[in-house]
Amino acid sequence: MQKTALISGAGIAGPATAYWLNAAGWRTTIVERAPAPRRGGYVIDFWGLGYDLADRMGLMSGIEAAGYHVREVKIVGDRGQRLAGFGVQVFDALTAGRFVTLPRSELAQLILDAVAPGTERLFDDGIAALTQDAEGVDVIFTGGGRRRFDLLIGADGLHSQVRRLAFGPDAEFEKPLGYAVAAFETEAYRPRDPDTYIMYCEPGRMIGRFTLRGDRTLFLMIFAFEGELPATTADQKTLLARLYAGGKWETDAILERMKATDQLYLDRVSQIRAPTWSDGRIVLVGDAAFCVSLLAGQGSALAIVAGYVLAGEIAHADLSQGIVRYEARLRRYVATKQAGATRFAGAFAPHTRFGLWFRNRVMQSLNLPGVAKLAVGREIIDRLDLPDYSLGPGAD
């Protein structure tokens, strides 16, 4: 009989895991509490092993169509004057040109489309309760349905409901890094600087913009923050307006645009550090298991890698052994990514004027190839040999 898996989360980790489980012969179901695939959000830098797997999944034409090839990261001063920055040639060199920037939601949609023929999708629903025994997992959905599956996978992000139900409250696993991030899009904003990421920084806060196609602009705010964030969009806007009050450059114009948006993203910058990623027939992947933090730049690629390894390992062993091997293969690799992200988090919004000055000098030095490779090479280059599990397209 065909084995069944319920996957909570229709972001990147969930559909990627479904794709590779389908290739391994499983029947998959994705449940997502949002009423439809999420749009907007923020852009991600995509490279490394996740990029290679996306190529095997046949996604590269869509990724290139949705993506951008950034030429420069630039820091500006109060009047928009260039203070520091670097070209991204070093990233092209370190990744052999296999590096692209694209909206996270568009990558998620591409993967979701790739699993559409073989995966049941349940939007506007979620998991209210679960119990497991030696043979399977019984799930009660928030919509009232009840079903049984051979495997339950939590791919539902930093604030995972599956992790909460099966492993414990968020506070036991979440490690805040002392920052929060906000993002939103607007139309017809001027000026536009294609293929350039522009940042304006003051102690403890950064505000930046990136030009998108279709006369859209993405704005990103990163700021020092401790404690709980407001729950409603109105209160979130009030918080951001207060924190960024008095900012120079284009801050006032950006805050004015923020007033009109109904698609504001706001969350803490945190890592998830769980002592184990599984409990019997319940297993976590992606941010639900090991969020490296939004600022690390590799969460989406790691999610794809995790889905591939989980599917591959359980395809070549009994279920319990495969789950153990999945975690054993990735645990040390993920730990190095989390350590790098912790070192890097403060670079976006240093707390002091001296910290800003020093960060700018470091960024400027990245224009020197030898220095750039030494400074960021270990964060960019993936040092993990992925097995060929002979799953799906591209298999031998």
Side-chain angles (χ1 to χ4, degrees), residues 18-50:
Y19 179 93
W20 293 111
L21 281 175
N22 291 348
W26 285 63
R27 186 168 76 251
T28 56
T29 298
I30 292 175
V31 61
E32 167 60 52
R33 66 177 179 268
R38 301 177 190 272
R39 309 302 299 169
Y42 50 91
V43 296
I44 60 169
D45 296 321
F46 190 54
W47 77 93
L49 294 173

Side-chain angles (χ1 to χ4, degrees), residues 41-389:
Y42 50 91
V43 296
I44 60 169
D45 296 321
F46 190 54
W47 77 93
L49 294 173
Y51 185 110
D52 296 340
L53 288 171
D55 195 0
R56 279 188 56 180
M57 296 163 75
L59 302 180
M60 290 317 302
S61 61
I63 287 173
E64 284 296 326
Y68 301 84
H69 291 279
V70 179
R71 294 180 291 105
E72 184 183 19
V73 176
K74 182 167 65 174
I75 297 177
V76 299
D78 292 351
R79 301 179 306 280
Q81 75 274 24
R82 188 182 191 279
L83 299 179
F86 60 94
V88 299
Q89 296 88 343
V90 61
F91 297 101
D92 286 335
L94 290 171
T95 63
R98 296 170 68 80
F99 183 100
V100 66
T101 298
L102 78 162
R104 184 184 185 279
S105 60
E106 296 198 28
L107 177 59
Q109 186 64 58
L110 287 168
I111 304 173
L112 192 62
D113 291 344
V115 303
T119 296
E120 178 187 15
R121 297 183 292 179
L122 307 174
F123 283 93
D124 201 17
D125 208 345
I127 299 174
L130 56 89
T131 56
Q132 68 168 317
D133 54 39
E135 304 301 324
V137 184
D138 294 300
V139 173
I140 300 175
F141 293 93
T142 56
R146 295 170 178 259
R147 291 172 63 178
R148 183 173 174 83
F149 298 88
D150 293 302
L151 179 65
L152 172 61
I153 297 170
D156 42 356
L158 175 65
H159 307 292
S160 168
Q161 172 70 350
V162 171
R163 190 185 64 237
R164 197 175 296 122
L165 289 172
F167 297 82
D170 290 356
E172 293 184 10
F173 309 103
E174 184 178 358
K175 178 191 176 185
L177 297 185
Y179 292 89
V181 60
F184 69 96
E185 292 181 16
T186 191
E187 294 184 351
Y189 182 88
R190 297 295 183 273
R192 290 172 65 80
D193 296 88
D195 299 327
T196 303
Y197 185 70
I198 300 177
M199 297 187 292
Y200 170 71
C201 303
E202 295 179 289
R205 63 185 189 183
M206 182 279 283
I207 189 167
R209 61 174 168 84
F210 183 73
T211 296
L212 301 173
R213 299 185 185 92
D215 205 19
R216 296 174 298 139
T217 299
L218 169 71
F219 299 103
L220 185 71
M221 304 176 183
I222 299 170
F223 51 96
F225 190 83
E226 303 283 352
E228 294 299 317
L229 291 164
T232 69
T233 300
D235 288 342
Q236 291 170 357
K237 290 180 180 180
T238 298
L239 171 69
L240 293 170
R242 176 175 61 81
L243 291 175
Y244 281 85
K248 301 294 193 298
W249 183 54
E250 300 170 13
T251 301
D252 286 344
I254 294 170
L255 292 177
E256 191 65 28
R257 290 300 185 104
M258 181 187 68
K259 292 179 182 178
T261 188
D262 58 358
Q263 296 290 324
L264 178 66
Y265 170 89
L266 178 69
D267 205 351
R268 292 186 297 271
V269 177
S270 299
Q271 293 183 341
I272 293 297
R273 300 198 174 184
T276 180
W277 301 344
S278 65
D279 177 12
R281 290 174 174 265
I282 303 170
V283 61
L284 305 173
V285 297
D287 284 353
F290 50 72
C291 179
V292 294
S293 90
L294 181 146
L295 302 183
Q298 271 196 291
S300 297
L302 288 173
I304 296 172
V305 169
Y308 172 76
V309 172
L310 175 62
E313 291 296 345
I314 64 179
H316 290 80
D318 65 62
L319 183 61
S320 60
Q321 184 183 22
I323 290 173
V324 170
R325 286 166 53 173
Y326 148 73
E327 182 169 345
R329 189 174 293 279
L330 291 181
R331 173 67 75 166
R332 181 176 296 180
Y333 172 68
V334 166
T336 63
K337 295 295 183 183
Q338 288 186 322
T342 300
R343 291 191 300 268
F344 189 61
F348 284 90
H351 289 266
T352 65
R353 292 283 177 191
F354 174 77
L356 289 170
W357 176 87
F358 182 76
R359 188 277 314 275
N360 291 352
R361 301 287 74 74
V362 172
M363 287 187 66
Q364 194 64 27
S365 73
L366 296 181
N367 290 295
L368 304 172
V371 174
K373 185 174 182 179
L374 181 65
V376 301
R378 66 176 179 174
E379 314 297 349
I380 297 296
I381 299 171
D382 278 326
R383 293 180 172 83
L384 175 70
D385 292 325
L386 279 184
D388 181 0
Y389 295 112

